[in-house]
Amino acid sequence: SSKQERIHVFPNPSAGNFSIELNDSESSEIAIYTIKGERVFNQFVLDGNIVISVNISDLPKGIYILEVRNSGNVYTDKLIVK
């Protein structure tokens, strides 16, 4: 199965509160970057089958890049803060 199916982000766009659903049994690292590449959020998750709540509502509105890494796989998606 592809990484796309194993990670679900909602709601997107949002005002800055996102839920990231990981459907994977592995530990993961979640990072969020500005489009300039500046990391603004980082969290390690030990159990993959979980929903992580992320609040970046204190950051400026715009597009951010979500990156989830586990065991050599990298999943990226755009987060839109409106």
Side-chain angles (χ1 to χ4, degrees):
S1 66
S2 74
K3 293 293 323 150
Q4 207 75 20
E5 297 159 4
R6 290 192 276 178
I7 297 172
H8 181 218
V9 182
F10 58 95
N12 190 16
S14 89
N17 287 299
F18 296 93
S19 293
I20 302 168
E21 183 179 359
L22 304 174
N23 300 310
D24 203 330
S25 57
E26 306 173 65
S27 59
S28 302
E29 180 184 6
I30 297 169
I32 298 173
Y33 297 88
T34 67
I35 53 174
K36 294 179 180 175
E38 177 188 2
R39 189 165 66 188
V40 293
F41 179 89
N42 196 70
Q43 184 172 340
F44 287 96
V45 181
L46 294 179
D47 178 14
N49 289 300
I50 197 169
V51 176
I52 303 295
S53 294
V54 173
N55 183 348
I56 55 170
S57 59
D58 55 332
L59 295 174
K61 294 174 182 168
I63 296 172
Y64 294 84
I65 306 299
L66 168 69
E67 188 177 272
V68 179
R69 294 178 173 268
N70 56 18
S71 68
N73 293 309
V74 180
Y75 166 90
T76 58
D77 200 359
K78 283 183 185 170
L79 298 180
I80 300 171
V81 178
K82 59 176 185 172

